[in-house]
Coordinates of all heavy atoms in Angstrom, one line a residue:
M1 N 84.6 73.5 71.9 CA 84.9 74.9 71.6 C 86.2 74.9 70.8 O 87.2 74.3 71.1 CB 85.1 75.7 72.9 CG 85.4 77.1 72.7 SD 85.3 78.0 74.2 CE 86.7 79.0 74.1
H2 N 86.1 75.7 69.7 CA 87.3 75.8 68.8 C 88.0 77.1 69.1 O 87.4 78.2 69.2 CB 86.8 75.8 67.4 CG 87.9 75.8 66.4 ND1 88.6 74.7 66.1 CD2 88.3 76.8 65.6 CE1 89.5 75.1 65.1 NE2 89.3 76.4 64.8
I3 N 89.3 77.0 69.2 CA 90.1 78.2 69.4 C 90.6 78.6 68.0 O 91.2 77.8 67.3 CB 91.4 77.9 70.3 CG1 90.9 77.4 71.6 CG2 92.2 79.2 70.4 CD1 90.1 78.4 72.5
F4 N 90.3 79.9 67.6 CA 90.7 80.4 66.3 C 92.2 80.9 66.4 O 92.5 81.7 67.2 CB 89.8 81.4 65.8 CG 88.4 80.9 65.6 CD1 87.4 81.0 66.5 CD2 88.1 80.3 64.4 CE1 86.2 80.5 66.3 CE2 86.9 79.8 64.1 CZ 85.9 79.9 65.1
V5 N 93.0 80.4 65.4 CA 94.4 80.8 65.3 C 94.5 81.6 64.1 O 93.9 81.4 63.1 CB 95.3 79.5 65.2 CG1 96.7 79.9 65.1 CG2 95.0 78.6 66.5
Y6 N 95.4 82.7 64.2 CA 95.7 83.5 63.1 C 96.0 82.7 61.9 O 96.9 81.8 62.0 CB 96.8 84.5 63.4 CG 97.1 85.5 62.3 CD1 96.2 86.6 62.1 CD2 98.2 85.3 61.5 CE1 96.5 87.5 61.1 CE2 98.4 86.2 60.5 CZ 97.6 87.3 60.3 OH 97.8 88.2 59.3
G7 N 95.4 82.9 60.8 CA 95.7 82.2 59.6 C 94.6 81.2 59.2 O 94.6 80.7 58.1
E8 N 93.7 81.0 60.1 CA 92.6 80.1 59.8 C 91.5 80.9 59.1 O 90.4 81.1 59.7 CB 92.1 79.4 61.0 CG 93.1 78.4 61.6 CD 92.5 77.7 62.8 OE1 91.3 77.9 63.1 OE2 93.2 76.9 63.4
L9 N 91.7 81.4 58.0 CA 90.8 82.3 57.3 C 89.4 81.7 57.1 O 88.4 82.3 57.4 CB 91.4 82.8 55.9 CG 90.5 83.8 55.2 CD1 90.3 85.0 56.0 CD2 91.2 84.1 53.8
E10 N 89.4 80.5 56.7 CA 88.1 79.8 56.5 C 87.3 79.7 57.8 O 86.1 79.9 57.8 CB 88.3 78.4 55.8 CG 87.0 77.8 55.3 CD 86.3 78.6 54.3 OE1 87.0 79.3 53.4 OE2 85.1 78.6 54.2
S11 N 88.0 79.3 58.9 CA 87.3 79.2 60.2 C 86.8 80.6 60.6 O 85.7 80.7 61.1 CB 88.3 78.7 61.2 OG 88.7 77.4 60.9
W12 N 87.6 81.6 60.4 CA 87.1 83.0 60.8 C 85.9 83.3 60.0 O 84.9 83.9 60.5 CB 88.2 84.0 60.5 CG 89.2 84.1 61.7 CD1 90.5 83.7 61.7 CD2 88.9 84.6 63.0 NE1 91.0 84.0 62.9 CE2 90.1 84.5 63.7 CE3 87.8 85.2 63.6 CZ2 90.2 84.9 65.1 CZ3 87.8 85.6 64.9 CH2 89.0 85.4 65.6
K13 N 85.9 83.0 58.7 CA 84.8 83.3 57.8 C 83.5 82.6 58.3 O 82.4 83.2 58.4 CB 85.1 82.8 56.4 CG 84.2 83.4 55.4 CD 84.6 82.9 54.0 CE 84.6 84.0 53.0 NZ 84.9 83.5 51.6
L14 N 83.6 81.3 58.7 CA 82.5 80.6 59.2 C 82.0 81.2 60.6 O 80.8 81.3 60.8 CB 82.9 79.1 59.4 CG 83.1 78.3 58.1 CD1 83.6 76.9 58.5 CD2 81.8 78.2 57.3
F15 N 83.0 81.5 61.4 CA 82.6 82.1 62.7 C 81.9 83.4 62.5 O 80.9 83.7 63.1 CB 83.9 82.3 63.5 CG 83.6 82.9 64.9 CD1 83.0 82.1 65.9 CD2 84.1 84.1 65.2 CE1 82.7 82.6 67.1 CE2 83.8 84.6 66.5 CZ 83.2 83.9 67.5
D16 N 82.4 84.2 61.6 CA 81.8 85.5 61.2 C 80.3 85.3 60.7 O 79.4 86.0 61.1 CB 82.6 86.3 60.2 CG 82.1 87.7 60.0 OD1 81.9 88.4 61.0 OD2 81.9 88.1 58.8
E17 N 80.1 84.4 59.8 CA 78.8 84.1 59.3 C 77.9 83.6 60.4 O 76.7 84.0 60.5 CB 78.9 83.0 58.2 CG 79.5 83.5 56.9 CD 79.7 82.4 55.9 OE1 79.3 81.3 56.2 OE2 80.4 82.7 54.9
Y18 N 78.4 82.8 61.4 CA 77.6 82.4 62.5 C 77.2 83.6 63.4 O 76.0 83.7 63.8 CB 78.5 81.4 63.3 CG 77.9 81.1 64.7 CD1 76.8 80.3 64.9 CD2 78.4 81.8 65.8 CE1 76.3 80.1 66.2 CE2 77.9 81.5 67.1 CZ 76.8 80.7 67.3 OH 76.3 80.5 68.5
L19 N 78.1 84.5 63.7 CA 77.8 85.6 64.5 C 76.8 86.5 63.8 O 75.8 87.0 64.4 CB 79.1 86.4 64.8 CG 80.0 85.8 65.8 CD1 81.2 86.7 66.0 CD2 79.3 85.6 67.2
V20 N 77.0 86.8 62.5 CA 76.0 87.6 61.8 C 74.6 87.0 61.8 O 73.6 87.7 62.1 CB 76.5 87.8 60.3 CG1 75.4 88.4 59.5 CG2 77.7 88.7 60.3
E21 N 74.5 85.7 61.6 CA 73.2 85.0 61.7 C 72.6 85.1 63.1 O 71.4 85.4 63.3 CB 73.3 83.6 61.2 CG 72.1 82.8 61.4 CD 70.8 83.4 60.7 OE1 71.0 84.0 59.6 OE2 69.7 83.2 61.2
K22 N 73.4 84.9 64.1 CA 72.9 84.9 65.5 C 72.4 86.3 65.8 O 71.4 86.5 66.4 CB 74.0 84.5 66.4 CG 73.5 84.4 67.9 CD 74.6 83.8 68.8 CE 74.0 83.7 70.2 NZ 74.7 82.8 71.0
I23 N 73.2 87.3 65.5 CA 72.8 88.7 65.8 C 71.5 89.1 65.0 O 70.6 89.7 65.5 CB 74.0 89.7 65.4 CG1 75.1 89.5 66.5 CG2 73.5 91.1 65.5 CD1 76.4 90.2 66.1
S24 N 71.5 88.7 63.7 CA 70.3 88.9 62.9 C 69.0 88.3 63.6 O 68.0 88.9 63.7 CB 70.4 88.4 61.5 OG 71.5 89.1 60.9
R25 N 69.2 87.1 64.0 CA 68.1 86.4 64.7 C 67.6 87.1 65.9 O 66.4 87.3 66.2 CB 68.4 84.9 65.0 CG 67.3 84.1 65.4 CD 67.6 82.6 65.7 NE 68.7 82.1 64.9 CZ 69.9 81.7 65.5 NH1 70.1 81.9 66.8 NH2 70.9 81.2 64.7
Q26 N 68.6 87.5 66.7 CA 68.3 88.2 68.0 C 67.6 89.5 67.7 O 66.7 89.9 68.4 CB 69.5 88.4 68.8 CG 70.1 87.2 69.5 CD 71.4 87.4 70.2 OE1 72.1 88.3 69.9 NE2 71.7 86.4 71.0
N27 N 68.1 90.2 66.7 CA 67.5 91.5 66.3 C 66.0 91.3 65.8 O 65.2 92.1 66.2 CB 68.3 92.2 65.2 CG 69.6 92.8 65.8 OD1 69.7 92.9 67.0 ND2 70.5 93.1 64.9
R28 N 65.8 90.3 65.1 CA 64.4 90.0 64.6 C 63.5 89.7 65.8 O 62.4 90.2 65.9 CB 64.4 88.8 63.6 CG 64.9 89.2 62.3 CD 64.6 88.1 61.2 NE 65.1 86.8 61.6 CZ 66.3 86.4 61.2 NH1 67.1 87.1 60.5 NH2 66.7 85.2 61.6
E29 N 64.0 88.9 66.8 CA 63.2 88.5 67.9 C 62.9 89.8 68.8 O 61.8 90.0 69.3 CB 63.9 87.5 68.8 CG 64.0 86.1 68.1 CD 64.9 85.1 68.8 OE1 65.5 85.5 69.8 OE2 65.0 84.0 68.3
T30 N 63.9 90.6 69.0 CA 63.8 91.8 69.8 C 62.8 92.8 69.1 O 62.0 93.4 69.7 CB 65.1 92.5 69.9 OG1 66.0 91.6 70.6 CG2 65.0 93.8 70.8
A31 N 62.9 92.9 67.8 CA 62.0 93.8 67.0 C 60.6 93.3 67.2 O 59.7 94.2 67.3 CB 62.4 93.8 65.5
N32 N 60.3 92.0 67.2 CA 59.0 91.5 67.4 C 58.4 91.9 68.8 O 57.3 92.2 68.9 CB 58.9 90.0 67.1 CG 59.1 89.7 65.7 OD1 58.8 90.5 64.8 ND2 59.5 88.5 65.4
I33 N 59.3 91.8 69.8 CA 58.8 92.1 71.1 C 58.6 93.6 71.3 O 57.6 94.0 71.9 CB 59.9 91.7 72.1 CG1 60.0 90.1 72.2 CG2 59.6 92.2 73.5 CD1 61.2 89.6 72.9
E34 N 59.4 94.4 70.7 CA 59.3 95.9 70.9 C 58.1 96.5 70.2 O 57.7 97.6 70.5 CB 60.6 96.5 70.4 CG 61.8 96.3 71.2 CD 63.0 96.9 70.7 OE1 63.0 97.5 69.6 OE2 64.0 96.8 71.4
K35 N 57.5 95.8 69.2 CA 56.4 96.4 68.5 C 55.1 96.2 69.1 O 54.1 96.6 68.6 CB 56.4 95.7 67.1 CG 57.5 96.2 66.2 CD 57.4 95.6 64.8 CE 58.6 96.0 64.0 NZ 58.6 95.4 62.7
V36 N 55.1 95.6 70.3 CA 53.8 95.3 71.0 C 53.4 96.6 71.8 O 54.1 97.0 72.7 CB 54.0 94.1 72.0 CG1 52.7 93.9 72.8 CG2 54.4 92.9 71.2
A37 N 52.2 97.1 71.5 CA 51.6 98.2 72.2 C 50.8 97.5 73.3 O 50.2 96.5 73.2 CB 50.7 99.0 71.3
M38 N 50.7 98.2 74.5 CA 50.1 97.6 75.6 C 49.3 98.7 76.4 O 49.8 99.8 76.7 CB 51.1 97.0 76.5 CG 50.6 96.2 77.7 SD 51.9 95.3 78.5 CE 53.1 96.5 78.9
E39 N 48.0 98.4 76.7 CA 47.3 99.3 77.5 C 47.6 99.0 79.0 O 47.3 97.9 79.5 CB 45.8 99.2 77.3 CG 45.0 100.3 78.0 CD 43.5 100.3 77.5 OE1 42.9 99.3 77.6 OE2 43.1 101.4 77.2
I40 N 48.2 99.9 79.7 CA 48.7 99.7 81.0 C 47.7 100.1 82.1 O 47.8 99.8 83.3 CB 50.1 100.3 81.3 CG1 50.0 101.8 81.1 CG2 51.2 99.7 80.4 CD1 51.3 102.5 81.5
A41 N 46.7 100.9 81.7 CA 45.7 101.4 82.5 C 44.6 101.8 81.6 O 44.8 102.1 80.4 CB 46.1 102.5 83.5
P42 N 43.3 102.0 82.1 CA 42.3 102.5 81.3 C 42.7 103.9 80.6 O 43.1 104.8 81.3 CB 41.1 102.7 82.2 CG 41.4 101.7 83.3 CD 42.9 101.7 83.5
Y43 N 42.6 103.9 79.3 CA 42.9 105.1 78.5 C 44.4 105.5 78.5 O 44.7 106.5 78.0 CB 42.1 106.3 79.0 CG 40.6 106.1 78.9 CD1 39.9 105.8 80.1 CD2 39.9 106.2 77.7 CE1 38.5 105.5 80.0 CE2 38.6 106.0 77.7 CZ 37.9 105.6 78.8 OH 36.5 105.4 78.8
I44 N 45.3 104.6 79.0 CA 46.7 104.9 78.9 C 47.4 103.7 78.2 O 47.3 102.5 78.6 CB 47.3 105.1 80.3 CG1 46.6 106.3 81.0 CG2 48.8 105.3 80.3 CD1 47.0 106.5 82.4
T45 N 48.2 104.0 77.2 CA 48.9 103.0 76.4 C 50.4 103.3 76.4 O 50.8 104.4 76.4 CB 48.3 103.0 75.0 OG1 46.9 102.8 75.0 CG2 49.0 102.0 74.1
V46 N 51.1 102.2 76.3 CA 52.6 102.3 76.1 C 52.9 101.6 74.8 O 52.5 100.4 74.6 CB 53.4 101.6 77.2 CG1 54.8 101.5 76.9 CG2 53.2 102.3 78.5
D47 N 53.5 102.3 73.9 CA 53.8 101.8 72.5 C 55.2 102.2 72.2 O 55.4 103.4 72.0 CB 52.8 102.2 71.5 CG 53.0 101.6 70.1 OD1 54.1 101.0 69.9 OD2 52.1 101.8 69.3
P48 N 56.1 101.3 72.0 CA 57.5 101.7 71.6 C 57.6 102.6 70.4 O 58.5 103.3 70.2 CB 58.2 100.4 71.5 CG 57.5 99.4 72.2 CD 56.0 99.9 72.1
A49 N 56.6 102.5 69.5 CA 56.6 103.3 68.3 C 56.1 104.7 68.5 O 56.2 105.6 67.6 CB 55.7 102.6 67.2
I50 N 55.6 105.0 69.7 CA 55.1 106.3 70.0 C 55.9 106.9 71.2 O 55.8 106.4 72.3 CB 53.6 106.3 70.3 CG1 52.8 105.8 69.1 CG2 53.1 107.7 70.7 CD1 51.3 105.6 69.4
H51 N 56.6 108.0 70.9 CA 57.4 108.6 72.0 C 58.3 107.7 72.7 O 58.5 107.8 73.9 CB 56.5 109.4 73.0 CG 55.8 110.6 72.4 ND1 56.4 111.7 72.0 CD2 54.5 110.8 72.1 CE1 55.6 112.6 71.6 NE2 54.4 112.0 71.6
H52 N 58.8 106.7 72.0 CA 59.8 105.8 72.6 C 59.3 105.0 73.8 O 60.0 104.7 74.7 CB 61.1 106.5 72.9 CG 61.7 107.2 71.8 ND1 62.4 106.5 70.8 CD2 61.8 108.5 71.5 CE1 62.8 107.4 69.9 NE2 62.4 108.6 70.3
G53 N 58.0 104.7 73.8 CA 57.4 104.0 74.9 C 56.9 104.8 76.1 O 56.5 104.2 77.1
T54 N 56.9 106.1 75.9 CA 56.3 106.9 77.0 C 54.8 106.7 77.1 O 54.2 106.6 76.1 CB 56.6 108.4 76.7 OG1 58.0 108.6 76.6 CG2 56.0 109.3 77.7
P55 N 54.3 106.6 78.3 CA 52.8 106.4 78.4 C 52.1 107.6 77.8 O 52.4 108.7 78.0 CB 52.6 106.3 79.9 CG 53.9 105.9 80.5 CD 54.9 106.5 79.6
V56 N 51.1 107.2 76.9 CA 50.3 108.2 76.2 C 48.8 107.9 76.4 O 48.4 106.8 76.8 CB 50.6 108.3 74.7 CG1 52.0 108.7 74.4 CG2 50.3 107.0 74.0
I57 N 48.0 108.9 76.2 CA 46.5 108.7 76.2 C 46.2 107.8 75.0 O 46.6 108.1 73.9 CB 45.8 110.1 76.1 CG1 46.2 111.0 77.2 CG2 44.3 109.9 76.0 CD1 45.9 110.6 78.6
T58 N 45.5 106.8 75.2 CA 45.1 105.8 74.2 C 44.5 106.5 73.0 O 43.6 107.3 73.2 CB 44.2 104.7 74.8 OG1 44.9 104.1 75.9 CG2 43.9 103.7 73.7
G59 N 45.0 106.1 71.8 CA 44.4 106.7 70.6 C 45.0 108.0 70.2 O 44.5 108.6 69.2
T60 N 45.9 108.5 71.0 CA 46.5 109.8 70.7 C 48.0 109.7 70.8 O 48.6 108.6 71.1 CB 46.1 110.9 71.7 OG1 46.7 110.7 73.0 CG2 44.6 110.9 71.9
R61 N 48.7 110.8 70.6 CA 50.2 110.8 70.8 C 50.5 111.8 72.0 O 51.6 112.3 72.1 CB 50.9 111.3 69.5 CG 50.7 110.3 68.4 CD 51.4 110.8 67.1 NE 52.8 110.8 67.3 CZ 53.6 109.7 67.1 NH1 53.1 108.5 66.8 NH2 54.9 109.8 67.2
V62 N 49.5 112.0 72.8 CA 49.6 113.0 73.9 C 50.2 112.2 75.1 O 49.5 111.4 75.7 CB 48.3 113.6 74.3 CG1 48.5 114.6 75.5 CG2 47.7 114.4 73.1
P63 N 51.4 112.5 75.6 CA 52.0 111.9 76.8 C 51.2 112.3 78.0 O 50.7 113.4 78.2 CB 53.4 112.4 76.8 CG 53.7 113.0 75.5 CD 52.4 113.4 74.9
I64 N 51.1 111.3 78.9 CA 50.3 111.6 80.2 C 51.1 112.7 81.0 O 50.4 113.4 81.7 CB 50.0 110.3 81.0 CG1 51.3 109.7 81.5 CG2 49.2 109.4 80.2 CD1 51.1 108.6 82.5
S65 N 52.4 112.7 80.8 CA 53.2 113.8 81.5 C 52.7 115.2 81.1 O 52.8 116.1 82.0 CB 54.7 113.6 81.3 OG 55.0 113.6 80.0
I66 N 52.3 115.3 79.9 CA 51.9 116.6 79.4 C 50.6 117.0 80.1 O 50.4 118.1 80.5 CB 51.7 116.6 77.9 CG1 53.1 116.5 77.2 CG2 51.0 117.9 77.4 CD1 54.0 117.7 77.4
V67 N 49.7 116.0 80.1 CA 48.4 116.3 80.8 C 48.6 116.6 82.2 O 48.0 117.6 82.7 CB 47.4 115.0 80.6 CG1 46.1 115.2 81.4 CG2 47.2 114.8 79.1
I68 N 49.3 115.8 83.0 CA 49.6 116.1 84.4 C 50.3 117.4 84.6 O 49.9 118.2 85.5 CB 50.4 114.9 85.0 CG1 49.5 113.6 85.0 CG2 50.8 115.2 86.4 CD1 50.3 112.4 85.4
G69 N 51.3 117.7 83.8 CA 52.0 118.9 83.9 C 51.1 120.1 83.6 O 51.3 121.2 84.3
S70 N 50.3 120.0 82.6 CA 49.4 121.1 82.3 C 48.4 121.4 83.5 O 48.2 122.6 83.8 CB 48.6 120.8 81.0 OG 49.4 120.7 79.9
L71 N 47.9 120.3 84.1 CA 47.0 120.5 85.2 C 47.7 121.1 86.4 O 47.2 122.0 87.1 CB 46.3 119.2 85.6 CG 45.3 118.6 84.5 CD1 44.9 117.2 84.8 CD2 44.1 119.6 84.4
A72 N 48.9 120.6 86.6 CA 49.7 121.1 87.8 C 50.2 122.5 87.5 O 50.3 123.3 88.5 CB 51.0 120.2 87.9
G73 N 50.3 122.9 86.3 CA 50.7 124.3 86.0 C 49.5 125.3 86.0 O 49.7 126.5 85.8
G74 N 48.3 124.8 86.3 CA 47.2 125.7 86.5 C 46.1 125.7 85.5 O 45.1 126.4 85.6
M75 N 46.3 124.9 84.4 CA 45.2 124.8 83.4 C 44.1 124.0 84.0 O 44.3 123.1 84.8 CB 45.7 124.1 82.2 CG 46.7 124.9 81.3 SD 47.3 124.0 79.9 CE 45.9 124.0 78.8
S76 N 42.9 124.4 83.6 CA 41.7 123.6 84.1 C 41.5 122.4 83.2 O 42.2 122.3 82.1 CB 40.4 124.5 84.0 OG 40.2 124.8 82.6
K77 N 40.7 121.5 83.6 CA 40.5 120.3 82.8 C 39.9 120.6 81.5 O 40.3 120.1 80.4 CB 39.5 119.3 83.5 CG 40.1 118.6 84.7 CD 39.1 117.7 85.4 CE 39.7 117.1 86.6 NZ 38.7 116.2 87.3
E78 N 39.0 121.6 81.5 CA 38.4 122.1 80.2 C 39.4 122.7 79.3 O 39.4 122.4 78.0 CB 37.3 123.1 80.5 CG 36.1 122.5 81.1 CD 36.3 122.2 82.6 OE1 37.2 122.8 83.3 OE2 35.5 121.3 83.2
E79 N 40.4 123.4 79.8 CA 41.5 124.0 79.0 C 42.3 122.9 78.4 O 42.7 122.9 77.2 CB 42.3 125.0 79.8 CG 41.6 126.2 80.1 CD 42.4 127.1 81.1 OE1 43.1 126.6 82.0 OE2 42.3 128.3 81.0
V80 N 42.7 121.9 79.2 CA 43.5 120.8 78.7 C 42.7 120.0 77.6 O 43.3 119.6 76.6 CB 43.9 119.8 79.9 CG1 44.6 118.6 79.3 CG2 44.8 120.6 80.9
M81 N 41.4 119.8 77.9 CA 40.6 119.1 76.9 C 40.6 119.8 75.5 O 40.7 119.2 74.5 CB 39.1 119.0 77.4 CG 38.9 118.0 78.5 SD 37.3 118.2 79.4 CE 36.2 118.1 78.0
Q82 N 40.5 121.1 75.6 CA 40.4 121.9 74.4 C 41.8 122.0 73.7 O 41.9 121.8 72.5 CB 40.0 123.3 74.7 CG 39.8 124.2 73.5 CD 39.2 125.5 73.8 OE1 39.1 125.9 75.0 NE2 38.9 126.3 72.8
E83 N 42.9 122.2 74.5 CA 44.2 122.3 74.0 C 44.7 121.0 73.2 O 45.3 121.1 72.2 CB 45.2 122.6 75.1 CG 46.6 122.8 74.6 CD 46.8 124.1 73.8 OE1 46.1 125.1 74.0 OE2 47.8 124.1 73.1
Y84 N 44.4 119.8 73.8 CA 44.9 118.6 73.3 C 43.8 117.7 72.6 O 44.1 116.6 72.3 CB 45.6 117.8 74.4 CG 46.8 118.6 74.9 CD1 46.7 119.2 76.2 CD2 48.0 118.7 74.2 CE1 47.8 119.9 76.7 CE2 49.0 119.5 74.6 CZ 48.9 120.1 75.9 OH 50.0 120.8 76.4
E85 N 42.6 118.3 72.5 CA 41.5 117.6 71.9 C 41.2 116.2 72.6 O 41.2 115.2 71.9 CB 41.7 117.4 70.4 CG 41.8 118.7 69.6 CD 42.1 118.5 68.2 OE1 42.1 117.4 67.7 OE2 42.2 119.5 67.5
L86 N 41.0 116.3 73.9 CA 40.8 115.1 74.7 C 39.4 115.1 75.3 O 38.8 116.2 75.5 CB 41.8 114.9 75.8 CG 43.3 114.9 75.4 CD1 44.2 114.9 76.6 CD2 43.6 113.6 74.6
T87 N 38.9 114.0 75.8 CA 37.7 114.0 76.5 C 38.0 114.2 78.0 O 39.1 114.0 78.4 CB 36.9 112.6 76.3 OG1 37.7 111.6 76.9 CG2 36.7 112.3 74.8
K88 N 36.9 114.4 78.8 CA 37.1 114.6 80.2 C 37.7 113.3 80.8 O 38.6 113.3 81.7 CB 35.8 114.9 80.9 CG 35.9 115.2 82.3 CD 34.6 115.7 82.9 CE 34.8 116.0 84.4 NZ 33.6 116.5 85.0
T89 N 37.2 112.1 80.4 CA 37.7 110.9 80.9 C 39.2 110.7 80.6 O 39.9 110.2 81.4 CB 36.9 109.7 80.3 OG1 35.5 109.9 80.5 CG2 37.3 108.4 80.9
Q90 N 39.6 111.1 79.4 CA 41.0 111.0 79.0 C 41.9 111.9 79.8 O 43.0 111.5 80.2 CB 41.2 111.3 77.5 CG 40.7 110.2 76.6 CD 40.7 110.6 75.1 OE1 40.4 111.8 74.8 NE2 41.2 109.7 74.3
V91 N 41.4 113.1 80.2 CA 42.1 114.0 81.0 C 42.2 113.5 82.4 O 43.3 113.7 83.1 CB 41.5 115.4 81.0 CG1 42.1 116.3 82.0 CG2 41.6 116.0 79.6
E92 N 41.2 112.8 82.9 CA 41.2 112.3 84.3 C 42.0 111.0 84.4 O 42.5 110.7 85.5 CB 39.8 112.1 84.8 CG 39.1 113.5 84.9 CD 37.6 113.3 85.2 OE1 37.0 112.2 85.1 OE2 37.0 114.3 85.6
A93 N 42.2 110.3 83.4 CA 42.9 109.0 83.4 C 44.3 109.0 84.0 O 44.6 108.2 84.9 CB 42.9 108.3 82.0
P94 N 45.1 110.0 83.6 CA 46.5 110.0 84.2 C 46.5 110.4 85.7 O 47.4 110.0 86.4 CB 47.2 111.2 83.4 CG 46.4 111.3 82.1 CD 45.0 110.9 82.5
L95 N 45.5 111.0 86.1 CA 45.4 111.4 87.6 C 45.2 110.1 88.4 O 45.7 110.1 89.6 CB 44.3 112.4 87.8 CG 44.5 113.7 87.0 CD1 43.3 114.6 87.3 CD2 45.7 114.4 87.4
S96 N 44.6 109.1 87.9 CA 44.3 107.9 88.7 C 45.4 106.9 88.4 O 45.5 105.8 89.0 CB 43.0 107.3 88.3 OG 42.9 106.9 87.0
F97 N 46.3 107.1 87.5 CA 47.4 106.2 87.1 C 48.5 106.4 88.1 O 49.1 106.2 88.8 CB 47.9 106.5 85.7 CG 49.1 105.7 85.3 CD1 49.0 104.4 85.1 CD2 50.4 106.3 85.1 CE1 50.1 103.6 84.8 CE2 51.4 105.6 84.7 CZ 51.3 104.2 84.5

């Protein structure tokens, strides 16, 4: 391990370049991991690119919390289907999740 002393400009420059490269590499690796969409249950997907990874109905941008909240608020399944353009199976999926 090298201890950097004030005045070692070249050493600091090398150390800085090393840190920039290491951080860039870590960011690239993290970015690759974060881009993976995953179906966590039938008709329910988690994708970091959609609503910051909030579970949504697969193939849509409708969060399952909206579907559950709408049903809990008194809307019928048919009303939710019409409002969010979902199928009956898609509306029922969050209830079993």
Side-chain angles (χ1 to χ4, degrees):
M1 181 170 135
H2 182 77
I3 304 296
F4 293 97
V5 179
Y6 183 77
E8 293 184 2
L9 184 59
E10 192 59 36
S11 295
W12 275 110
K13 195 179 220 182
L14 291 173
F15 183 68
D16 187 50
E17 289 172 7
Y18 164 78
L19 286 178
V20 168
E21 175 56 31
K22 184 172 182 162
I23 291 169
S24 295
R25 189 176 335 109
Q26 287 174 342
N27 287 343
R28 285 192 303 269
E29 291 168 1
T30 302
N32 289 337
I33 291 169
E34 290 178 356
K35 290 182 181 178
V36 176
M38 188 170 55
E39 188 170 52
I40 58 173
Y43 301 99
I44 299 175
T45 302
V46 172
D47 184 348
I50 300 174
H51 291 291
H52 305 285
T54 300
V56 297
I57 303 297
T58 302
T60 72
R61 298 180 67 84
V62 179
I64 65 169
S65 60
I66 294 293
V67 175
I68 294 170
S70 297
L71 293 170
M75 289 178 74
S76 68
K77 289 181 184 178
E78 290 75 22
E79 289 172 327
V80 174
M81 289 168 51
Q82 186 176 8
E83 181 71 25
Y84 300 106
E85 299 178 3
L86 301 172
T87 65
K88 185 175 182 182
T89 307
Q90 288 175 316
V91 171
E92 292 172 347
L95 300 176
S96 62
F97 176 68

